[in-house]
Amino acid sequence: MVDPVSFLEQHGNSTVVPLRWENRCFYLLDQRVLPWEQKWLRIKEAEECAAAIRDLVVRGAPAIGICAAFGMVLAVQGATGRGMVLKETIDEAAALLNRARPTAVNLNWAVERMLKAYQKVEGQEEETVFKAMEQEALSIWQEDIEANIAMGGHGAALIPDSGTILTHCNAGALATGGYGTALGVIRAAFYAGKDIDVLADETRPWLQGARLTAYELKADNIPVKVCVDSAAGFFMRQGKVQAVVVGADRIAANGDVANKIGTYSAAQVAWANNIPFYVAAPASTLDINTPNGSAISIEVRDQSEVTIIAGKVMVPEGVEAVNPVFDITPAELITAIITEKGVLRPPYDSAIASCFH
Ligand code: MRU
């Protein structure tokens, strides 16, 4: 059977993993309490899995997809002992998981793969169905790690031999099956001997940069400093950033990229200062059915994520906040898209289409 954690240990050279599947039990590292606590939560049902995605216990497009795949396995597990795994059970779990968050296409992609795996064994004995679903979820996980490592290899060549690399949000091991997309590229460049350090935007309001990117880079001894999001432009203008690398939640057919709010601003300033701006993402993040960024659904989360800091309300009573959590970076601001299949360059429509041939 595929064993993603051993695979990562042998090939990945990265210590943080956001999920575990052990003896048919599913666990998630609770990213809401990092870096203060390393708390593992046992997830027992598809519904709990959807809630974990919604509440950001697990986050990052590829990690959400892998988690949803295990959510489907849990749905099958919950249905065994009743004679047959009913298609209704599978369809309900798929719908529930698909609704958990709207922007990352990896979620729907993984659920779709699990549905196809189920179709192949529909009507067969319960244990056969369970094993097929378990195997598919493990494959999705391991393929993600393999993609990240391949992406790292392609992307490392684009990173300068020395200097500072800016990143936004967390597109690392914690956001994937392990190793990371943007941080995978940075890891590969660092391990190849490049003299680089990382400037991590803190990433308001949820602080994925300050809490998570800094956490996993520190764990792997990769030099990192955190800055407020609004300082990134200042450093780029001063010539203190040599490249920007970010991840993606969905890449439209024309190369427009949905990623964490603030990515567009970083791309715009990088463009204005002639700094290469790279997006690293697996092919599972490419969405050829969405023509451009304006067709991507942008998640809007509760305003309390913005207004409340460390338990205190930071705005005067009666003042509201708005909290879109992703934005769209137009394709023309992106120097290259790094995938496991190679480095895509403009024009992106044909480069992206070629990944599906
Ligand atoms: O809200 P989040 O933390 O799920 O947002 C995550 C991002 O925007 C990441 O950059 C993206 O999912 C790529 S993760 C490899």
Side-chain angles (χ1 to χ4, degrees):
M1 190 181 296
V2 177
D3 181 1
V5 174
S6 307
F7 180 83
L8 186 64
E9 277 164 12
Q10 283 160 29
H11 301 92
N13 205 359
S14 95
T15 46
V16 176
V17 185
L19 65 151
R20 293 197 330 236
W21 175 255
E22 284 167 10
N23 304 320
R24 301 192 169 193
C25 297
F26 186 49
Y27 303 90
L28 288 172
L29 182 58
D30 189 346
Q31 300 194 27
R32 297 169 304 180
V33 296
L34 284 173
W36 315 289
E37 244 184 281
Q38 281 86 53
K39 183 167 146 195
W40 286 91
L41 301 180
R42 164 111 190 255
I43 307 294
K44 296 196 189 112
E45 296 167 2
E47 203 155 320
E48 278 181 40
C49 204
I53 294 171
R54 216 172 27 244
D55 299 342
L56 308 182
V57 169
V58 61
R59 31 64 52 203
I64 292 172
I66 299 162
C67 181
F70 281 102
M72 299 286 283
V73 178
L74 296 175
V76 171
Q77 198 173 42
T80 53
R82 294 182 205 153
M84 218 218 287
V85 182
L86 295 177
K87 173 133 182 15
E88 285 89 310
T89 309
I90 301 298
D91 286 344
E92 261 170 42
L96 181 77
L97 289 158
N98 268 330
R99 278 197 305 272
R101 288 187 80 186
T103 306
V105 70
N106 306 60
L107 176 60
N108 320 116
W109 171 87
V111 167
E112 200 52 42
R113 247 182 88 162
M114 295 302 287
L115 285 173
K116 284 197 181 124
Y118 171 74
Q119 273 161 20
K120 287 191 195 143
V121 287
E122 188 176 349
Q124 293 189 33
E125 206 248 318
E126 284 177 352
E127 182 63 12
T128 310
V129 175
F130 176 82
K131 280 194 174 144
M133 297 292 273
E134 181 190 38
Q135 187 55 52
E136 188 68 358
L138 287 169
S139 299
I140 288 174
W141 183 4
Q142 173 144 335
E143 285 167 30
D144 184 65
I145 298 169
E146 287 171 13
N148 290 340
I149 292 171
M151 229 178 284
H154 298 309
L158 303 174
I159 299 297
D161 289 339
S162 63
T164 295
I165 314 302
L166 179 84
T167 189
H168 189 70
C169 194
N170 171 263
L174 287 165
T176 61
Y179 200 73
T181 58
L183 295 193
V185 168
I186 288 170
R187 275 194 168 87
F190 183 79
Y191 295 141
K194 298 200 175 190
D195 182 19
I196 53 171
D197 51 42
V198 177
L199 188 58
D201 283 350
E202 64 172 353
T203 317
R204 276 280 290 151
W206 212 69
L207 303 181
Q208 286 93 333
R211 297 191 302 106
L212 309 178
T213 292
Y215 171 81
E216 63 168 88
L217 291 181
K218 182 164 186 285
D220 287 342
N221 297 314
I222 298 174
V224 58
K225 279 188 184 142
V226 172
C227 67
V228 295
D229 300 341
S230 39
F234 172 75
F235 289 122
M236 285 197 255
R237 175 101 177 137
Q238 285 190 335
K240 292 195 173 147
V241 170
Q242 279 59 54
V244 183
V245 192
V246 298
D249 276 76
R250 191 183 291 250
I251 302 178
N254 73 339
D256 288 352
V257 165
N259 192 49
K260 181 53 55 195
I261 192 80
T263 302
Y264 169 51
S265 314
Q268 193 74 60
V269 182
W271 178 261
N273 289 281
N274 235 344
I275 297 166
F277 184 91
Y278 300 115
V279 174
S284 54
T285 305
L286 302 173
D287 180 8
I288 42 167
N289 298 316
T290 296
N292 55 54
S294 61
I296 298 176
S297 163
I298 297 291
E299 179 181 7
V300 177
R301 294 184 67 87
D302 197 275
Q303 58 168 318
S304 61
E305 289 183 351
V306 175
T307 55
I308 300 176
I309 299 177
K312 266 206 157 135
V313 180
M314 292 293 165
V315 295
E317 211 185 318
V319 173
E320 291 185 0
V322 276
N323 187 21
V325 299
F326 297 101
D327 62 21
I328 304 293
T329 299
E332 57 269 23
L333 296 181
I334 299 166
T335 312
I337 298 174
I338 304 157
T339 76
E340 72 275 31
K341 293 172 191 273
V343 175
L344 313 183
R345 300 271 185 185
Y348 289 118
D349 46 3
S350 51
I352 288 172
S354 74
C355 292
F356 292 90
H357 294 150

